[in-house]
Amino acid sequence: MTDGVQLGLSVAVVAVAGATPRVVTVRSEFAVPPEHRRGDEPLPHRDALPGAPFEPSRFRTLQEGVRAVAEGLSGLSLRYVEQLYTFGDRYRDPHELFGGPRSVVVGYLALVRDGPLGGGASAEWKALYEHFPWEDWREQRPALLDSVIEPALRGWIAAAGDSESRARRGERAQLAFGLDGAEWDMERVQERYELLYEAGLVVESFRDRDLAARMGAAPSPGGIMPRALGRPMARDGRRILAAALERLRGKLKYRPIVFELLPPVFTLHQLQRVVEALSGECVHKQNFRRMMIAGGLVEPTGQFESQTGGRPAELHRFRRQAIHDRTSAHAIPSAGG
């Protein structure tokens, strides 16, 4: 801690099990002090991303600290680690409201191969789209968008104080959520979550404003807590996770990081399912396979998978040389493309 500021590390550890993207969560240690609780209200939501204060005397770099924290809590060996952003909003950590230091956290994305967790007892896998159900379009457009999110956003837009504010809100909602016929951009993950938070449509927004109001740090949010749009997280965990998913989707187009989530040999069907799981949309099977092979990203091993229940599928491996000679042609084809 320096001058009342504590530097922390938080990491979204992502794997794909079959067709389900998953993230490691741990139990948050924060609870509202008894003297500030209202009656027998339940404790805040406790799912959190693995994280801890940075120990400069122990670690030479932030990434060393991230690996130690995440691997210690999950028992998994991190394969790919990338820094996201620094998150430092006032009261992002509710301990600050009760006299704790200002919290600044450096967020990271880490990829691992799916497997059992062997770290702390509180660590567990959670399906990533439980936190962002509006982001999974593989089967169809999520019904939640039309039944809940779009009407609520239109209400938020209409509630703006003047025409200029309504126009700004409308433009942001249109770009983020594809309102009024605008195209849905799968990469605007963090922007969508931030908009829902600002509009007071997620549990975290009401929770944070209510807690700040109790301590005289913000006006009361008023009304009742909104229905849960996805599984809430402690602190700003969903904000960091949204940034991680957005970064992952962007990297799919030009970096072969998807192979960090796969075993050394795999079928093209397995590869396609992992890509679809992360992108949240389906890809055209033949175009996808043609792109992977002709683009030089994978090569056949000459072996076949016999546990498919049907025609044996040929096993492939990632062609490491692709890291050096990749071009824009190596982009993952989009849905239907």
Side-chain angles (χ1 to χ4, degrees), residues 31-334:
V32 178
E35 64 270 21
H36 294 291
R37 292 183 195 164
R38 291 174 177 163
D40 58 352
E41 68 177 338
L43 295 176
H45 297 281
R46 306 294 296 279
D47 287 347
L49 295 176
F54 176 63
E55 301 178 54
S57 61
R58 180 183 173 193
F59 302 113
R60 184 178 65 86
T61 66
L62 293 175
Q63 191 166 127
E64 284 182 7
V66 164
R67 286 186 176 275
V69 168
E71 292 180 355
L73 288 170
S74 70
L76 299 170
S77 177
L78 304 189
R79 298 181 57 80
Y80 175 94
V81 177
E82 176 180 347
Q83 188 177 122
L84 296 169
Y85 304 106
T86 299
F87 300 84
D89 289 3
R90 185 175 295 280
Y91 309 128
R92 64 157 299 276
D93 186 335
H95 285 101
E96 185 183 347
L97 287 164
F98 302 98
R102 178 74 174 268
S103 173
V104 174
V105 67
V106 182
Y108 281 81
L109 163 66
L111 304 181
V112 298
R113 289 174 182 161
D114 186 64
L117 298 176
S122 72
E124 59 181 313
W125 287 113
K126 292 285 172 53
L128 193 151
Y129 289 130
E130 286 187 14
H131 300 287
F132 308 108
W134 55 86
E135 294 291 346
D136 188 1
W137 288 57
R138 286 173 294 175
E139 293 186 4
Q140 60 184 3
R141 175 184 170 89
L144 186 68
L145 286 168
D146 297 318
S147 63
V148 178
I149 293 178
E150 182 171 334
L153 284 176
R154 293 195 183 281
W156 174 69
I157 293 168
D162 54 70
S163 59
E164 184 176 348
S165 297
R166 286 193 294 274
R168 283 199 301 267
R169 288 185 177 187
E171 182 179 16
R172 291 176 60 199
Q174 183 182 53
L175 291 173
F177 284 93
L179 299 188
D180 301 321
E183 183 179 358
W184 178 277
D185 184 345
M186 297 303 293
E187 290 186 41
R188 293 181 180 267
V189 183
Q190 186 177 0
E191 185 177 344
R192 282 188 281 273
Y193 177 73
E194 299 273 14
L195 191 62
L196 292 175
Y197 183 95
E198 184 179 333
L201 302 178
V202 291
V203 168
E204 288 94 330
S205 177
F206 188 97
R207 177 200 68 197
D208 294 349
R209 295 175 191 179
D210 178 63
L211 191 57
R214 295 190 209 184
M215 305 307 297
S220 172
I224 59 174
M225 184 177 291
R227 61 178 293 181
L229 291 180
R231 189 182 183 98
M233 298 189 80
R235 302 180 177 86
D236 50 2
R238 267 209 289 184
R239 184 184 181 197
I240 298 172
L241 185 55
L245 180 57
E246 179 172 306
R247 182 71 60 85
L248 257 176
R249 287 181 172 180
K251 285 291 181 71
L252 284 176
K253 294 183 176 180
Y254 63 93
R255 286 283 303 275
I257 62 172
V258 66
F259 297 100
E260 302 290 350
L261 299 161
L262 287 158
V265 295
F266 46 84
T267 67
L268 292 181
H269 177 65
Q270 288 175 309
L271 173 58
Q272 181 177 336
R273 289 212 301 171
V274 171
V275 170
E276 291 175 336
L278 297 175
S279 67
E281 57 186 351
C282 293
V283 300
H284 188 281
K285 178 179 176 180
Q286 296 306 322
N287 285 358
F288 176 83
R289 295 187 174 210
R290 188 181 308 114
M291 183 71 74
M292 293 297 102
I293 296 172
L297 284 170
V298 300
E299 59 186 5
T301 64
Q303 301 174 314
F304 290 82
E305 171 62 78
S306 58
Q307 305 297 318
T308 60
R311 181 180 177 182
E314 187 169 16
L315 293 170
H316 291 72
R317 58 175 163 249
F318 172 50
R319 187 173 161 271
R320 287 285 168 188
Q321 183 61 27
I323 296 177
H324 305 288
D325 59 16
R326 67 183 183 273
T327 67
S328 60
H330 290 155
I332 302 297
S334 60

